[in-house]
Amino acid sequence: MSHDATTSHEGIRDDLFDAAFLGRVEQLALLARRMASSGTRANRRSRVVGSGIEFADHRGYTPGDDLRNVDWKLFARTERLNLRLYEEEEDLSVYFLIDRSTSMTMAPDGEKTLLERALQVAAALSYIALSNLDRVAVVPFSDKITAPMRPVRGRAQFFKILRVLSDVPPGGQTDIQSAFAGWLRTQPRPGLAVVISDFFDAKGLGDALRLLTYRGFEPMVLQLVDRSLLDADVQGDLAIVDCETGETREIVLTPQLLARYRVAFEQLGHEVQRAASEVGARCLQVDLSVPFDDVVMRVFRAGGFLG
Amino acid sequence: MNALHVNQLLMNANDVLRLAGAMLAVIALLYLLRPRQRRVEVPFGGLWQRVLAESESRVVGRNLRRLLSFLLMLTLAGLCIAALAEPLFGRRTTGPKVEAPRPHTVVIVDVSASMQTLDGQNGSRLAEAQAALRRWLVAAPAEEDVLLMAASGHAEVLAGWGSDRATLDAGIGRLHATDGGLDLRRAVDTAQQALAHSHNGRIVLVSDAGPAELPLEITPQVAIEHLRVGPARAWQPGQPTPPRNLTNLAVGELRVRPDPTDPSRGTLTVQVRNDAAQPVAAQLLLAGSDTAFDAATFGKTDALRRIVDVDLPPGLSTQTVPGVDLTAARFAVQVRGKAGVHDLAPWDDWGFAVLAERRELGVLVVTGSPEVDPAAGNLYLSAALFAHGKVKVQHLAAADYHPETFAAKDRARHGVDVVVLDQAGFALPEGTPGLVLSLAGAPTETLRLAQGPELAVRGEEHPAMRGISFQDTNFDKVRLIPTRPGDVILAVAKPRGAVMVARQDGARSLEWGIDLLETDLGARYSLPLLVSNALLWLAGQEESLVPPLLVGRPWAVDAPVNAEWQYVEPGQKPRPARTSGRQLLGQSEHHGVHVWQSDGDRLVARATVLAPTENPTLLQPWGPEARTLATTRVAEQRALALPRWSLWLLAALLIFAVEWLTYLRRRTV
């Protein structure tokens, strides 16, 4: 996509990340901080013993524990050895797993593609995360991970994020489970994994999300859909071609069959939500017609993004 | 529909293969021209797979529809081939399956008037022909398909195609001689049409005509054999045809020119054609008659006036015969080669001429109606007299008419042949032929008026009523005429009562109980014909009314198509009528009467002549109604009628259109 899109001399796509976009992202960041201070933030602190200053809990002593952490006052009352546990704030790693497969690049002539919308949303959320001193990494995938990025921190890295997003190559078949498995083999630091995709994957999403949670990630699912493709007035004898696999099927498209296709499309969205809820992940389905800033605000309203 | 068409099924395998190949090529081209299947790229084919997997039976349905489409195309091709083969439903050839070299024979039996001659071996020549034909049938191969055709002025199929000897024998038994002449050309043409699709056909002609008189236009592939009957030696199968001094003599034109000094005599000028390369010795047979009108009638009557020997040079020549007796009205000349000359076309040996009437009829019209100017007379009557063309009309007011003093010498002096009394209220002068049109006020009759009567012709055979129909003619008032013994009722009104009467006691007279001002008859074609008939009969010239029928002339009349019509001939079993579309086909015969019947219905057609178009009149003998039908010449009708295969083609095109539209609807984007 970056090859034929408009890019500036810094390698950032002007058609996606122009000045207006950047100004809108700044406003979104301010709005997000206000929403966080109002108590809607989730608790995203690591429960480790030691360097923290805020008491969290006790736990029983086991041989080998540092005796400096023993709560002797409690021992005097109960004659049992317990350790004091402190919560320690740590910087969060936020991974934007962006589906770059061919299905994400389909759009009517002159219209934005799902991939472009995904890049914009990821850029906006990245800025907010960087502003929150979290670590951010962009991970494009199709059936595998291409050029995994090391997480960066600080708002100064935002343009690096933009360059990475601008260079996301479109194409490939969707295989989320294989892509995630390959990525997890690179031992990424656990964190928040925001999966942005249309989830047109024959293998489904459940196993991929379970793999993420098993490795300690907190997944968040953002399904982008383009319902304008459902409203096409094409009828008759057709040969439908899968844009990713090239498989062809001959059908006689009637209004009744198109209605059943719409039902199946909605069922696919329900399946994505069910897979997300099975692992406790938040799921959001957003149509392409929704502006990117509204998408960002919906993410915040849904909760779970940043802590 | 007759057995002739069965022959059209006989397409050989090569023809069918060629047709099928051409049809398949057309279908292949149509498939190539069909819209291409549109390809649509979708983001997730698995979703479509899931949708389609929900109803796999629909896949079967789709395949079934495609199969149905293919079957429709095959049906289309089959129909097209069937259309070209022109099959017939409900009929099949009799006997074993027809194979390509199977022999087909058309037997033409001459049933012209000459076959009634009682000089045959078994009585008439026709009886001899029937016996010879039965012998020939016994000797013919069993697998030979035979079509039996009777030929006179027209050709009529009596049996066939078929090899069933019983059927053919029954057909032979139905042969009967007519009063007409023989149109051999028409018969042979019909036979050749029947043999058009046969590769092994022949024609057997059973006739009293000589072998040198066979028609010229015979396809060389069709063998023709002559089975001669009559006083000459009988032809035997296998006997070689005698050598011929072949030529053709024909009469081109005959003109009659009266002598200016003596109109009873005159000069006949004949244009004769000799197709031979050398001069031919021939005879011109001159005949004159008041009643004969064609070769048959001139041959039957004692009309021969003179035989002139001529030497005809090659090509056209004009022969002049002076001093011919011209007392007859009609003349004919026949050219005949002398011994040793065989004329190939006997039907063009005759020429005919009609001598125009030389004197106008004198008609005295006496008008008594107060609504009519006596000097001009009734407008409709005057127009009818004018249409006759050969009358000299004098008008007389009723006040100046004195029948008791109107003597015969006055009639001769004033040149009055017929007196017409139009509402005059007087009697006819004694011994004077006249036409009386009377309604109210006639002193000698009891009057009874009927409102809105319908008149029906009763005296169809009377010369005064030939060709007359009162169908759809309104008569506001009529007078019912009391009849006397010897009267001929010409027309009746409802309720029954004579309205038109003809009398012949001394002088001829006609009485019509009508007023031409009280009817719309004057606006119809019947009135001038009625007046003309009346004048000619009253003047004793009814022979001029003899219709010059053209024997064999085809015509057709409308008939209900929801009935199976049969043609009825006296003494014969009814046979299926010849039809075309919504019409019954007929041909002019000398007897002139044609009868068809169906379940509960009957039609009778009597051919009359209303120059220049022959116009059969349909009659219903059991009722008072009569109607004249406008007819269509068969030749024109055939030009208008769709050929039978077009219906098949239409059906194929209809199926094709439905299938194509259905296909396009599926492919519509």
Short mmCIF file of all heavy atoms in Angstrom, two decimals, chain B residues 643-668:
data_model
loop_
_atom_site.label_atom_id
_atom_site.label_comp_id
_atom_site.label_asym_id
_atom_site.label_seq_id
_atom_site.Cartn_x
_atom_site.Cartn_y
_atom_site.Cartn_z
N PRO B 643 -47.09 -21.53 -44.80
CA PRO B 643 -46.78 -22.95 -44.99
C PRO B 643 -46.84 -23.67 -43.66
O PRO B 643 -46.70 -23.07 -42.59
CB PRO B 643 -45.36 -22.91 -45.55
CG PRO B 643 -44.82 -21.58 -45.17
CD PRO B 643 -45.99 -20.64 -45.11
N ARG B 644 -47.07 -24.96 -43.74
CA ARG B 644 -47.28 -25.73 -42.52
C ARG B 644 -46.05 -25.73 -41.63
O ARG B 644 -46.15 -25.64 -40.41
CB ARG B 644 -47.63 -27.17 -42.91
CG ARG B 644 -48.05 -28.02 -41.74
CD ARG B 644 -48.38 -29.42 -42.19
NE ARG B 644 -49.51 -29.42 -43.09
CZ ARG B 644 -49.42 -29.60 -44.40
NH1 ARG B 644 -48.25 -29.78 -44.95
NH2 ARG B 644 -50.47 -29.61 -45.17
N TRP B 645 -44.88 -25.77 -42.25
CA TRP B 645 -43.69 -25.84 -41.40
C TRP B 645 -43.47 -24.56 -40.62
O TRP B 645 -42.74 -24.53 -39.64
CB TRP B 645 -42.46 -26.18 -42.23
CG TRP B 645 -42.19 -25.22 -43.35
CD1 TRP B 645 -42.56 -25.36 -44.65
CD2 TRP B 645 -41.50 -23.98 -43.28
NE1 TRP B 645 -42.15 -24.29 -45.37
CE2 TRP B 645 -41.49 -23.42 -44.56
CE3 TRP B 645 -40.88 -23.28 -42.24
CZ2 TRP B 645 -40.90 -22.21 -44.85
CZ3 TRP B 645 -40.29 -22.07 -42.53
CH2 TRP B 645 -40.31 -21.55 -43.83
N SER B 646 -44.10 -23.47 -41.05
CA SER B 646 -43.89 -22.23 -40.32
C SER B 646 -44.45 -22.33 -38.91
O SER B 646 -43.97 -21.67 -37.99
CB SER B 646 -44.55 -21.08 -41.07
OG SER B 646 -45.95 -21.24 -41.07
N LEU B 647 -45.49 -23.15 -38.71
CA LEU B 647 -46.03 -23.32 -37.36
C LEU B 647 -45.01 -24.00 -36.46
O LEU B 647 -44.83 -23.62 -35.30
CB LEU B 647 -47.31 -24.14 -37.43
CG LEU B 647 -48.44 -23.50 -38.23
CD1 LEU B 647 -49.66 -24.41 -38.27
CD2 LEU B 647 -48.82 -22.15 -37.63
N TRP B 648 -44.34 -24.99 -37.01
CA TRP B 648 -43.28 -25.64 -36.22
C TRP B 648 -42.18 -24.64 -35.90
O TRP B 648 -41.66 -24.58 -34.79
CB TRP B 648 -42.70 -26.82 -37.00
CG TRP B 648 -43.65 -27.96 -37.11
CD1 TRP B 648 -44.66 -28.12 -38.02
CD2 TRP B 648 -43.70 -29.11 -36.27
NE1 TRP B 648 -45.31 -29.28 -37.79
CE2 TRP B 648 -44.75 -29.93 -36.73
CE3 TRP B 648 -42.94 -29.53 -35.18
CZ2 TRP B 648 -45.06 -31.13 -36.14
CZ3 TRP B 648 -43.25 -30.72 -34.60
CH2 TRP B 648 -44.31 -31.51 -35.07
N LEU B 649 -41.82 -23.89 -36.91
CA LEU B 649 -40.74 -22.93 -36.70
C LEU B 649 -41.16 -21.89 -35.67
O LEU B 649 -40.37 -21.46 -34.83
CB LEU B 649 -40.40 -22.26 -38.04
CG LEU B 649 -39.03 -21.63 -38.13
CD1 LEU B 649 -37.95 -22.66 -37.85
CD2 LEU B 649 -38.83 -21.04 -39.50
N LEU B 650 -42.41 -21.50 -35.73
CA LEU B 650 -42.91 -20.53 -34.77
C LEU B 650 -42.84 -21.09 -33.36
O LEU B 650 -42.44 -20.39 -32.42
CB LEU B 650 -44.35 -20.16 -35.13
CG LEU B 650 -44.94 -18.98 -34.41
CD1 LEU B 650 -44.19 -17.70 -34.75
CD2 LEU B 650 -46.41 -18.81 -34.77
N ALA B 651 -43.23 -22.35 -33.21
CA ALA B 651 -43.16 -22.97 -31.89
C ALA B 651 -41.72 -23.01 -31.40
O ALA B 651 -41.44 -22.71 -30.23
CB ALA B 651 -43.74 -24.39 -31.95
N ALA B 652 -40.81 -23.35 -32.30
CA ALA B 652 -39.40 -23.40 -31.91
C ALA B 652 -38.91 -22.02 -31.50
O ALA B 652 -38.20 -21.86 -30.50
CB ALA B 652 -38.57 -23.94 -33.07
N LEU B 653 -39.27 -21.01 -32.26
CA LEU B 653 -38.84 -19.66 -31.93
C LEU B 653 -39.43 -19.22 -30.61
O LEU B 653 -38.78 -18.52 -29.83
CB LEU B 653 -39.25 -18.70 -33.04
CG LEU B 653 -38.47 -18.84 -34.34
CD1 LEU B 653 -39.04 -17.91 -35.40
CD2 LEU B 653 -37.01 -18.52 -34.11
N LEU B 654 -40.65 -19.63 -30.32
CA LEU B 654 -41.29 -19.26 -29.06
C LEU B 654 -40.52 -19.87 -27.90
O LEU B 654 -40.21 -19.20 -26.91
CB LEU B 654 -42.74 -19.74 -29.07
CG LEU B 654 -43.62 -19.21 -27.95
CD1 LEU B 654 -43.74 -17.70 -28.04
CD2 LEU B 654 -44.99 -19.84 -28.01
N ILE B 655 -40.21 -21.15 -28.02
CA ILE B 655 -39.45 -21.81 -26.96
C ILE B 655 -38.08 -21.15 -26.82
O ILE B 655 -37.60 -20.89 -25.72
CB ILE B 655 -39.31 -23.31 -27.26
CG1 ILE B 655 -40.67 -23.96 -27.16
CG2 ILE B 655 -38.32 -23.96 -26.31
CD1 ILE B 655 -40.66 -25.42 -27.54
N PHE B 656 -37.49 -20.86 -27.95
CA PHE B 656 -36.18 -20.22 -27.91
C PHE B 656 -36.26 -18.87 -27.20
O PHE B 656 -35.41 -18.53 -26.38
CB PHE B 656 -35.67 -20.03 -29.33
CG PHE B 656 -34.35 -19.33 -29.40
CD1 PHE B 656 -33.18 -19.99 -29.11
CD2 PHE B 656 -34.28 -17.99 -29.74
CE1 PHE B 656 -31.97 -19.34 -29.16
CE2 PHE B 656 -33.09 -17.33 -29.79
CZ PHE B 656 -31.92 -18.01 -29.50
N ALA B 657 -37.29 -18.10 -27.50
CA ALA B 657 -37.43 -16.78 -26.89
C ALA B 657 -37.62 -16.90 -25.39
O ALA B 657 -37.00 -16.16 -24.61
CB ALA B 657 -38.61 -16.05 -27.53
N VAL B 658 -38.46 -17.85 -24.97
CA VAL B 658 -38.69 -18.04 -23.53
C VAL B 658 -37.40 -18.44 -22.85
O VAL B 658 -37.02 -17.89 -21.80
CB VAL B 658 -39.78 -19.10 -23.32
CG1 VAL B 658 -39.87 -19.49 -21.85
CG2 VAL B 658 -41.12 -18.56 -23.79
N GLU B 659 -36.70 -19.41 -23.45
CA GLU B 659 -35.47 -19.87 -22.84
C GLU B 659 -34.44 -18.76 -22.80
O GLU B 659 -33.75 -18.58 -21.82
CB GLU B 659 -34.95 -21.08 -23.64
CG GLU B 659 -33.97 -21.95 -22.86
CD GLU B 659 -32.57 -21.39 -22.88
OE1 GLU B 659 -32.30 -20.58 -23.77
OE2 GLU B 659 -31.77 -21.75 -22.01
N TRP B 660 -34.36 -17.99 -23.86
CA TRP B 660 -33.37 -16.91 -23.94
C TRP B 660 -33.67 -15.84 -22.92
O TRP B 660 -32.78 -15.35 -22.22
CB TRP B 660 -33.38 -16.35 -25.36
CG TRP B 660 -32.36 -15.29 -25.58
CD1 TRP B 660 -32.56 -13.94 -25.58
CD2 TRP B 660 -30.98 -15.47 -25.83
NE1 TRP B 660 -31.39 -13.29 -25.81
CE2 TRP B 660 -30.40 -14.18 -25.97
CE3 TRP B 660 -30.17 -16.59 -25.95
CZ2 TRP B 660 -29.06 -14.01 -26.22
CZ3 TRP B 660 -28.82 -16.39 -26.20
CH2 TRP B 660 -28.29 -15.13 -26.33
N LEU B 661 -34.95 -15.48 -22.79
CA LEU B 661 -35.32 -14.46 -21.82
C LEU B 661 -35.05 -14.95 -20.40
O LEU B 661 -34.57 -14.20 -19.55
CB LEU B 661 -36.79 -14.08 -21.98
CG LEU B 661 -37.12 -13.28 -23.23
CD1 LEU B 661 -38.61 -13.06 -23.34
CD2 LEU B 661 -36.39 -11.94 -23.21
N THR B 662 -35.35 -16.22 -20.15
CA THR B 662 -35.07 -16.78 -18.83
C THR B 662 -33.57 -16.74 -18.55
O THR B 662 -33.14 -16.38 -17.46
CB THR B 662 -35.57 -18.23 -18.77
OG1 THR B 662 -36.94 -18.23 -19.16
CG2 THR B 662 -35.43 -18.78 -17.36
N TYR B 663 -32.80 -17.07 -19.55
CA TYR B 663 -31.35 -17.06 -19.38
C TYR B 663 -30.86 -15.65 -19.11
O TYR B 663 -30.07 -15.41 -18.19
CB TYR B 663 -30.70 -17.63 -20.64
CG TYR B 663 -29.21 -17.76 -20.52
CD1 TYR B 663 -28.65 -18.89 -19.96
CD2 TYR B 663 -28.37 -16.74 -20.94
CE1 TYR B 663 -27.28 -19.01 -19.83
CE2 TYR B 663 -27.00 -16.85 -20.82
CZ TYR B 663 -26.47 -17.99 -20.26
OH TYR B 663 -25.13 -18.11 -20.14
N LEU B 664 -31.38 -14.70 -19.88
CA LEU B 664 -30.93 -13.32 -19.69
C LEU B 664 -31.32 -12.81 -18.32
O LEU B 664 -30.61 -12.05 -17.70
CB LEU B 664 -31.53 -12.43 -20.77
CG LEU B 664 -30.91 -12.56 -22.16
CD1 LEU B 664 -31.58 -11.58 -23.10
CD2 LEU B 664 -29.42 -12.31 -22.11
N ARG B 665 -32.47 -13.27 -17.84
CA ARG B 665 -32.90 -12.80 -16.53
C ARG B 665 -31.95 -13.31 -15.46
O ARG B 665 -31.62 -12.62 -14.51
CB ARG B 665 -34.32 -13.31 -16.25
CG ARG B 665 -34.89 -12.76 -14.98
CD ARG B 665 -36.32 -13.24 -14.80
NE ARG B 665 -36.84 -12.79 -13.53
CZ ARG B 665 -36.61 -13.39 -12.37
NH1 ARG B 665 -35.87 -14.46 -12.34
NH2 ARG B 665 -37.11 -12.91 -11.26
N ARG B 666 -31.49 -14.54 -15.63
CA ARG B 666 -30.53 -15.07 -14.66
C ARG B 666 -29.21 -14.32 -14.74
O ARG B 666 -28.52 -14.16 -13.74
CB ARG B 666 -30.28 -16.55 -14.91
CG ARG B 666 -31.48 -17.42 -14.64
CD ARG B 666 -31.04 -18.83 -14.31
NE ARG B 666 -30.08 -19.34 -15.26
CZ ARG B 666 -30.41 -20.02 -16.34
NH1 ARG B 666 -31.68 -20.26 -16.58
NH2 ARG B 666 -29.50 -20.46 -17.17
N ARG B 667 -28.87 -13.86 -15.93
CA ARG B 667 -27.59 -13.19 -16.10
C ARG B 667 -27.69 -11.68 -15.91
O ARG B 667 -26.73 -10.97 -16.12
CB ARG B 667 -27.07 -13.47 -17.50
CG ARG B 667 -26.71 -14.94 -17.71
CD ARG B 667 -25.47 -15.28 -16.95
NE ARG B 667 -25.24 -16.70 -16.89
CZ ARG B 667 -24.45 -17.36 -17.70
NH1 ARG B 667 -23.81 -16.74 -18.62
NH2 ARG B 667 -24.29 -18.65 -17.56
N THR B 668 -28.88 -11.19 -15.60
CA THR B 668 -29.05 -9.74 -15.52
C THR B 668 -28.22 -9.18 -14.37
O THR B 668 -28.21 -9.71 -13.27
CB THR B 668 -30.53 -9.40 -15.29
OG1 THR B 668 -31.26 -9.92 -16.37
CG2 THR B 668 -30.71 -7.91 -15.21
#
